[in-house]
Each structure stands twice: as structure tokens, then as C-alpha cells.
Amino acid sequence: MKRKHALKTKLLCLCLGSLFACSMALSACGKIDPDKDPDKDPEKPPVVDPNPPKPVDPDPPKPEEPFTVSYREGYEPTKFNKTVTNEITKLTDGAHVVANSVTLKNGHVAVVYAVEVDLSKVDVVAGTKDNKSSDFTFQKAVPYAHAQAWEKATGGHVYASINADFFGAQCVNAFVKDGVIVKTGHNDNGNYDYKNGASDVPASAPMLFGVKGDIAQIAPIVNYEGDVTTPAVKEKLVKSTLSYQFVAQGKEGGVAISMNVAPSRTAVAFNTTRTTTISNGVVLKVDTTGGYSDMKVLEKSVVTSSTKFSPETGVGYVIANKTNATGFATLNAVEKDGIVSVAVKSEDGLWNGYTTILGCRQALVLDDEIPATVKLENTNGAQATDIPRSAVGIKPNGNVVIFGVEAMRYYGFSEAESDSYGLNLPELAEFIYYYGCTQAANFDGGGSTQIVTRADDETEGKVILRSADKLKKLENGTFVTCSKQECNITNADRLHTAATRPVMNSLLVVSKKK
């Protein structure tokens, strides 16, 4: 038995040895010296896979969530039926039109258009006739012309335009375009009692709508205390104004600055139209072609003898005397090619840094409540029914919502049962609250009301809400009666002709700046 076991062990060792030898031989066979490889062609390029696998993005973009509208839960409207139906149209990522069919308690159905905007994906800016901000002059044009001027100047895309501040020789309230203060505050005729028809002030605080980057705000020009319906409180709001401060990029705070003045011991000057001579100080020559925000410093001059600086197109001069220690030090710390801003400043900081500010009138929703002043408003047919309306609101997620209500029964004309019904101001306020806005204010409605949209895939604008001047047309700036045939103006004509009322400024929903 031992002999057989030894023989088996010997045979096993021989087998294992043979396997090891074979393994070593195979391993040696697998190592090919490239210099001795007879199949290698040194001039032949390596074979490349024509369809290599695509690398996997570790952080792929999230698909856009479907846009939906959820009306305020748990709220029972008092002026219209709770069941509101809607139809949604996409203009682009971040901008949608919602046509809301609202059945009033009297059975009439009003269509309230809402253009809802996500400021992280599109911008909201002010529109004007020639799109100028500096060297601005008040001129009227239809909002669609404002949109065309903006596109021509920027190369961007306007998705929607709507009338904004009130009809007149100039806008009623403060106005800022591209960071430039066009109008510093509200019209002031010396009367602050809203009950007086000549006062031209609302029962609420006169409101403003503004945008700073991806942030929007609806508020009065300054904060206030006390009863806003009293003339004393209203006077403070009407007399308050916007001004400027100089801010260097990357620096906290700024210094006060005045437009087109001589620099002094206390005032830093920002001159775009005034010729200035300075003997001892610092001067920054800046590019103003894109407005007053994020201007590039073209030249920096430290002046020690009498030097003149004259206005140039597209250029501004920021000037501080050496006797103005704070102003001189602030400007002197900036280098050529640096970025600076002459930024909007309000008296209590509420509107600091806002680059777009448009005047509104009555408050419709304040701090997630419908204010009591809505029932007190007495300007612009506030309590009248079947009035075209335009307004702006902000939702808790930061989305801006532009509202428009068509009313072809305005002016007392009613030719067909299909003619659209409008709303009074309390009805509009309640709907905007029901839509979910926590802040909202009224724009100029009536015959100025109009919304034109143009989606990504459209080359021509589309009038979704018409001016209400039915059976009237504009001739040389005056409304005149016209026949039904004369007033039967096509959609395209309404974009370009005086059939749409010209206004001083508009709100534009536009593509993001590249």
C-alpha cells in the first residue's frame, strides 16, 4: 500500500511540473517584443474605433418639469366661481401663457391671461421706443415696437410685451431702464388726498415693480409707517426719489454720486452730458453703451493740474476731487479695465441695485393679503365693471406673472354676445390672489391694455390680448370714431399701427443676456 501511494505521489508531482512548465511557456508566448513583431507595420496607423462609447456625464441635466398651474388651496373666492379652467401655451423654457377662463358670480366669463416667467431662465426688462436708457427722451410707441427696438439693439428674442406705467406725456411713477434712472419718482402736483380726483394718487401706496438679476420686487418707493390713506403718509411716498451710488465690482457698499454736476468736497460726479474741468482729483472714463451697470473702465486719470473732460457718445466720466477723501479713495482704488457700476439707490435701501423699475399704481396683493385699499380705489375706473386690466404679480417661488384682461365691451360698445368681458379692480385682485401671487400691483389698463407674444418657433408676434379702443382709432394722437369696417383691423395691423395705443414704456419678457 505504501508503494502504491508513493507511486501516485510521484506521478502527481510529474503532472504538476509539466503543467507549470506549460504555463511558463504560454506566459512567455504572450510577451511579444514589438521590435521583433513581423506583423507590425511601423508606417501603419493604429486602428481607431469609429464609434467609441460616449463618456457618461456624471451630472446629466435634469429634464424640465412640466409646467402646471395650481390655484390657491383652501381659498373660497367671493367674486367668481372657484372652478377656473385654463389653457397653457409654452413660449420658451421658463415662459408660459396661461389663458384662465373665470366665471363671475353674475355668470359672465372673463378670460384672464397670465404670462408666467421664471427669472432663472428668461429676463424681464423695460421697453421703450428706441431702447435708449442714457440720453433718454420721452416718446410713445406701441409695446410691439418697443420689443422690436430691443431685439434690434441686443440681438435677443422678446417672448412677450405688455403696457406698463400710465398713459400720459411721461410715465407717472419712477422709471429705471438698464440701471439708468429715467424718472426719479412719482408725479407731484401738491395734492396727496386720494379722495380728491385731482390728486392723481391711489388709496394705497403708489407701487413700483422692479428686477435685480433673478430677483423681482413689488413695493412702494420707500417703506412707511401709519395709515397709507392719509395725505401725510402719501406725501412722504410721493416726494421720495431714487438716486445713484458708485459701486466697484467686488467691493461692499459704495459712495453717493450725482449726475452731471461739478464734483465737490462732498459729491462724486458722474457726467455724461456736462463738460467738467478738474485740477486735483481722480477721473474714471467708463463705457456707458450697455447702461450704467457693469461698466468697463476705459481710462483712469489722476489729475494734478487743470484738465477738461468733455462728453462723448457712449462714455461717462466718474470724477472725485481730492478734497473728497472718501470719494477720491474709492475711485483711486479702481484700475483700468476694472468693472464699476453707477447703481440705483433709494432713500432707505429698498431699491438699491435694481436695474429695471417700472411704475405701477394700486396695490392688489400685499404680503399675501388683499389690502383693504382695493375697495377704496377711485382712479382709472377702479370699481367699474368690464374694464380691460393689466397688472403684475410675484409668486412665492419668485416667478413673475404678468396679467391681462381683455374687454371689448369697454367704451360701452357691445356688438356681439362673444364680445369679451372685463373685471373691476376687486375682481382682478381676488383672481391674482387665487392664482397664488403674494405681491401684486396694477399697471395701466383701459385702452392701453395689450399683450403680444412670440414663441421660440415664431417669426411674427401674436396679439393675444387687444387694445380695447373698439370703434375708435388713433389719428394724429387723437381717438376718432370709425365705422365697423374701418375698425375691423387684422391681427398683423394691430402690431404695427396706431390701432394699438402707443405708450411710454412697457414690460418685456426676453431671452437671457449672453
Side-chain angles (χ1 to χ4, degrees), residues 74-84 102-107 370 374-375 424-434:
Y75 178 69
E76 294 292 334
T78 62
K79 303 184 183 306
F80 55 88
N81 295 341
K82 186 174 183 178
T83 302
V84 174
V102 182
T103 303
L104 302 174
K105 292 299 185 180
N106 61 8
I370 299 174
V374 169
K375 296 179 180 179
N424 62 29
L425 209 62
E427 290 167 342
L428 177 62
E430 188 173 60
F431 176 77
I432 292 175
Y433 180 78
Y434 187 55

Side-chain angles (χ1 to χ4, degrees), residues 1-49:
M1 293 296 292
K2 289 182 178 180
R3 180 178 173 80
K4 287 183 180 180
H5 179 74
L7 182 60
K8 287 181 180 180
T9 301
K10 187 174 183 180
L11 289 172
L12 179 61
C13 290
L14 288 172
C15 290
L16 289 172
S18 298
L19 286 171
F20 179 78
C22 291
S23 175
M24 293 298 290
L26 287 170
S27 177
C29 290
K31 295 179 180 178
I32 300 174
D33 187 345
D35 295 329
K36 297 179 181 181
D37 183 3
D39 294 328
K40 181 174 181 179
D41 182 353
E43 297 181 358
K44 187 176 180 180
V47 177
V48 178
D49 186 350

Side-chain angles (χ1 to χ4, degrees), residues 105 172 178:
K105 292 299 185 180
V172 170
D178 303 326

Side-chain angles (χ1 to χ4, degrees), residues 237-261:
L237 293 167
V238 170
K239 288 185 176 297
S240 295
T241 57
L242 302 174
S243 58
Y244 285 115
Q245 64 178 338
F246 174 84
V247 180
Q249 192 176 64
K251 303 291 184 180
E252 292 291 332
V255 294
I257 195 166
S258 300
M259 286 291 297
N260 297 310
V261 299

Side-chain angles (χ1 to χ4, degrees), residues 43-74:
E43 297 181 358
K44 187 176 180 180
V47 177
V48 178
D49 186 350
N51 298 301
K54 294 182 179 179
V56 178
D57 186 349
D59 188 21
K62 296 180 180 179
E64 183 185 12
E65 295 183 4
F67 177 83
T68 58
V69 175
S70 298
Y71 302 102
R72 190 179 289 263
E73 293 185 5

Side-chain angles (χ1 to χ4, degrees), residues 45-215:
V47 177
V48 178
D49 186 350
N51 298 301
K54 294 182 179 179
V56 178
D57 186 349
D59 188 21
K62 296 180 180 179
E64 183 185 12
E65 295 183 4
F67 177 83
T68 58
V69 175
S70 298
Y71 302 102
R72 190 179 289 263
E73 293 185 5
Y75 178 69
E76 294 292 334
T78 62
K79 303 184 183 306
F80 55 88
N81 295 341
K82 186 174 183 178
T83 302
V84 174
T85 60
N86 65 55
E87 183 178 334
I88 298 173
T89 303
K90 180 178 178 180
L91 299 176
T92 189
D93 288 347
H96 297 78
V97 178
V98 184
N100 303 273
S101 294
V102 182
T103 303
L104 302 174
K105 292 299 185 180
N106 61 8
H108 295 163
V109 177
V111 178
V112 183
Y113 291 91
V115 182
E116 186 162 344
V117 174
D118 179 348
L119 289 177
S120 70
K121 297 178 180 178
V122 292
D123 285 333
V124 169
V125 300
T128 57
K129 181 178 180 179
D130 54 13
N131 199 55
K132 285 185 178 181
S133 47
S134 54
D135 303 327
F136 182 89
T137 55
F138 283 106
Q139 299 178 75
K140 296 176 185 177
V142 299
Y144 187 70
H146 296 177
Q148 290 178 308
W150 186 91
E151 289 186 337
K152 182 179 179 181
T154 65
H157 186 114
V158 176
Y159 297 105
S161 60
I162 186 171
N163 57 293
D165 201 347
F166 284 71
F167 189 82
Q170 57 179 340
C171 55
V172 170
N173 210 337
F175 178 28
V176 173
K177 176 173 169 56
D178 303 326
V180 179
I181 301 174
V182 175
K183 190 167 182 284
T184 61
H186 197 282
N187 289 349
D188 183 3
N189 60 14
N191 190 310
Y192 313 105
D193 183 359
Y194 81 93
K195 297 176 184 177
N196 184 329
S199 64
D200 195 31
V201 293
S204 71
M207 304 300 287
L208 296 172
F209 165 80
V211 176
K212 176 171 63 174
D214 293 350
I215 299 171

Side-chain angles (χ1 to χ4, degrees), residues 133-136 180 244 258-261 269-276 286-288 291-292 295 309-319 342:
S133 47
S134 54
D135 303 327
F136 182 89
V180 179
Y244 285 115
S258 300
M259 286 291 297
N260 297 310
V261 299
F270 180 45
N271 294 345
T272 58
T273 61
R274 176 192 174 107
T275 297
T276 305
V286 296
D287 179 1
T288 62
Y292 297 165
M295 301 179 293
F309 295 90
S310 299
E312 303 174 46
T313 302
V315 165
Y317 293 95
V318 186
I319 308 170
V342 172

